[in-house]
Amino acid sequence: MHEDICFADATELARRIRDRELSPVEVMRAHLERISAINPKLNAIVTLADDALDKARDAEQAIMKGKVSGPFHGVPFTFKDSFDTAGVRTTRGSKLFEHRIATTDATAVARIKNAGAILLGKTNTPEFTLWWETDNRVFGRTNNPWNPDLIPGGSSGGEAAALVTGLSALGVGSDVGGSIRMPAHYCGVVGFKPTHGRVPLTGLFPEVLLRTMHVGPLARTVRDAALALHVMSGPDGADPWCVPVEPPGIPGRATTPLRLHVGWLADGVFAPVDPEVRAAVESAADALRIAGCSVEHVSLPFLEETEVLAIPGVTGTPEAGHYFAPMTRGWEYELSAIMARRLSGPWPNMREYARRMADWETLRRGMMAYFNTYDLLLCPTLPSPAYPHGLRELTIDGTIIKARQKLVTVVPWNLTGSPALSLPFGMSADGLPIGVQLVGRHFEESVVLQAAMALEEASPVRGKRPPLAS
């Protein structure tokens, strides 16, 4: 079923299109046929762009005339259903916006299009993107491609599930508390949350919690993530959070030792951690050592000193409540049960709010101090592989925790604004992917990508496909 096309990465597809080995129409038809066959098992792609084939024909005519519009010319891509896409339904995972048609493209969408890619469709997300399970009242739930009884993660779960099964060549998601890296870990793809302010948030919903919101790529390879990030980066004149810095470079395969100082941690403040996850992080540390890095086990006292998950809970609750109140008032019955509960409060008092803001400052300063010594942090993306839909408690290494506690490995880097990338580096005994996470200094995405490429080269699960991919 066109596996040579649908499992080629976006960089390779673009090259084959430029060299006229493949036509954009052939590539688009292959993906549409695969979606028809595979997507009903997953519910990953929820809306197809009506003009995808027409755009592919236009791209083919351009190639025949020797014209290439950018590095992704003719490559199909998907976006999470929280990004505005002109003329294509954008529901935000909510009954409140079930029939909404966006009139303009989000900045990230426009930039990927300007690089020559063709919008294939939109991928599933929980309501308002604010949950870790990809399920909503408009489209229903998305299943994990490795086991449909398990979650694919959220809130970019549809995107990750589509990529790992060859339904899309490239994807983009958002991350306010792990929403790119979590599905990347559970589904077995690359997910990159760049530095806060690297990619404009314009046209992304919701327009709240913006101090911790990031836009970034999901992909099957690190080089695809690097190229997509390069294309999307830079101010757009509309997003006040976006910083005018040069786009990150696109590292190639290392030909010399990396010479990076890497700290790694797979226990301590992140505990409990599944032994198989811990083993994957330790193996990744060994791989970086072989690649030329100086690698040592570290502790993170600044994380131990703060109740890190209380920070977004306390500071985000009143912000989200204030933002959503006007659009949900009188329509509460249309909300998912989870969203209705989250927006009902309770709101913190001012003393508690001030305390958590102080904790936030402690966390940011602690991370800055860490990077005075180290170039990177290597840690688990999440403390366990994927688990069954609907669980509110997890048992990890013999310890029962609330499901929210698993976010302790991802939320800190939203609060610090640090670039953080997850890539597959292991497989559980149950046949589930395990990701490891690299965290870097602000705006040093090229360093993160360089180390990620070395890990990808050494990954024992590189290119492995899930059962639902066939």
Side-chain angles (χ1 to χ4, degrees):
M1 194 164 49
H2 304 294
E3 292 196 357
D4 62 320
I5 294 176
C6 293
F7 282 99
D9 73 354
T11 303
E12 174 65 10
L13 279 180
R15 183 200 65 77
R16 293 171 71 184
I17 289 171
R18 286 195 302 272
D19 292 347
R20 301 190 187 185
E21 295 175 14
L22 289 172
S23 78
V25 172
E26 182 181 8
V27 171
M28 184 61 72
R29 281 181 173 152
H31 282 85
L32 290 171
E33 288 176 17
R34 187 164 184 83
I35 290 167
S36 179
I38 303 293
N39 195 56
K41 309 172 190 176
L42 294 172
N43 193 34
I45 295 179
V46 292
T47 300
L48 289 173
D50 292 338
D51 63 352
L53 263 178
D54 290 337
K55 294 294 185 184
R57 292 186 184 99
D58 292 343
E60 184 168 309
Q61 287 298 313
I63 285 288
M64 298 305 291
K65 296 175 182 177
K67 297 178 181 178
V68 176
S69 55
F72 288 128
H73 186 97
V75 175
F77 74 99
T78 44
F79 261 76
K80 183 177 180 178
D81 196 27
S82 54
F83 289 86
D84 281 352
T85 43
V88 179
R89 185 164 65 153
T90 303
T91 74
R92 303 162 171 175
S94 177
K95 295 288 284 185
L96 275 64
F97 301 103
E98 183 174 7
H99 304 292
R100 179 178 178 273
I101 305 293
T103 56
T104 58
D105 284 327
T107 296
V109 175
R111 288 178 175 178
I112 296 287
K113 283 184 176 180
N114 288 340
I118 301 168
L119 180 65
L120 172 61
K122 310 293 286 292
T123 53
N124 208 16
T125 181
E127 188 166 35
F128 302 156
T129 77
L130 299 179
W131 197 242
W132 55 71
E133 292 200 41
T134 299
D135 191 1
N136 60 60
R137 295 188 61 201
V138 181
F139 299 113
R141 83 182 189 196
T142 298
N143 295 320
N144 189 301
W146 300 86
N147 181 338
D149 295 329
L150 308 182
I151 70 168
S155 58
S156 306
E159 200 60 67
L163 285 163
V164 77
T165 51
L167 307 187
S168 174
L170 181 69
V172 177
S174 60
D175 191 316
V176 76
S179 290
I180 288 173
R181 294 156 291 153
M182 188 188 316
H185 164 84
Y186 287 148
C187 293
V189 296
V190 177
F192 195 9
K193 176 192 78 68
T195 307
H196 187 257
R198 168 70 79 179
V199 179
L201 305 175
T202 310
L204 171 67
F205 186 87
E207 294 178 312
V208 70
L209 309 176
L210 299 184
R211 287 173 293 176
T212 56
M213 184 70 78
H214 304 66
V215 169
L218 292 101
R220 286 192 294 271
T221 61
V222 173
R223 67 178 184 176
D224 277 3
L227 182 54
L229 179 59
H230 182 86
V231 164
M232 292 189 292
S233 294
D236 64 350
D239 177 11
W241 294 98
C242 209
V243 179
V245 294
E246 287 295 314
I250 305 170
R253 182 178 177 182
T255 56
T256 58
L258 290 185
R259 307 299 186 201
L260 299 172
H261 195 184
V262 181
W264 73 274
L265 181 64
D267 44 30
V269 69
F270 298 137
V273 176
D274 185 284
E276 293 177 314
V277 173
R278 192 181 310 120
V281 176
E282 291 176 1
S283 294
D286 290 339
L288 288 176
R289 194 175 288 112
I290 292 169
C293 298
S294 168
V295 183
E296 61 183 277
H297 189 267
V298 297
S299 62
L300 301 173
F302 59 89
L303 271 182
E304 296 168 1
E305 294 167 7
T306 59
E307 295 180 55
V308 67
L309 296 183
I311 297 172
V314 169
T315 61
T317 296
E319 291 180 26
H322 174 76
Y323 173 80
F324 285 111
M327 69 184 74
T328 60
R329 189 175 296 116
W331 297 92
E332 290 86 353
Y333 64 92
E334 293 280 27
L335 298 174
S336 65
I338 288 170
M339 190 51 53
R341 184 173 67 249
R342 296 194 75 184
L343 295 181
S344 65
W347 286 25
N349 60 42
M350 197 62 207
R351 184 178 298 276
E352 178 67 3
Y353 187 90
R355 175 188 172 193
R356 297 309 175 190
M357 290 299 291
D359 285 346
W360 196 339
E361 186 67 16
T362 297
L363 177 62
R364 291 175 63 87
R365 290 182 180 275
M367 202 62 193
M368 291 292 289
Y370 173 88
F371 283 121
N372 285 331
T373 302
Y374 300 96
D375 297 304
L376 292 168
L377 172 68
L378 169 68
C379 65
T381 305
L382 289 168
S384 72
Y387 58 87
H389 295 281
L391 283 191
R392 304 302 296 274
E393 291 185 336
L394 309 178
T395 300
I396 300 177
D397 199 20
T399 301
I400 298 174
I401 65 168
K402 297 291 186 184
R404 187 172 186 271
Q405 179 63 31
K406 69 181 182 294
L407 302 180
V408 71
T409 53
V410 286
V411 163
W413 326 127
N414 288 87
L415 296 170
T416 63
S418 309
L421 180 148
S422 177
L423 79 159
F425 206 81
M427 193 68 62
S428 76
D430 293 329
L432 300 174
I434 295 171
V436 298
Q437 185 173 204
L438 291 166
V439 185
R441 292 190 188 93
H442 282 197
F443 299 107
E444 291 195 4
E445 283 86 356
S446 294
V447 174
V448 176
L449 289 164
Q450 191 176 32
M453 285 183 170
L455 287 182
E456 183 177 59
E457 188 84 11
S459 175
V461 296
R462 183 179 183 183
K464 193 170 180 62
R465 300 177 190 174
L468 287 187
S470 58

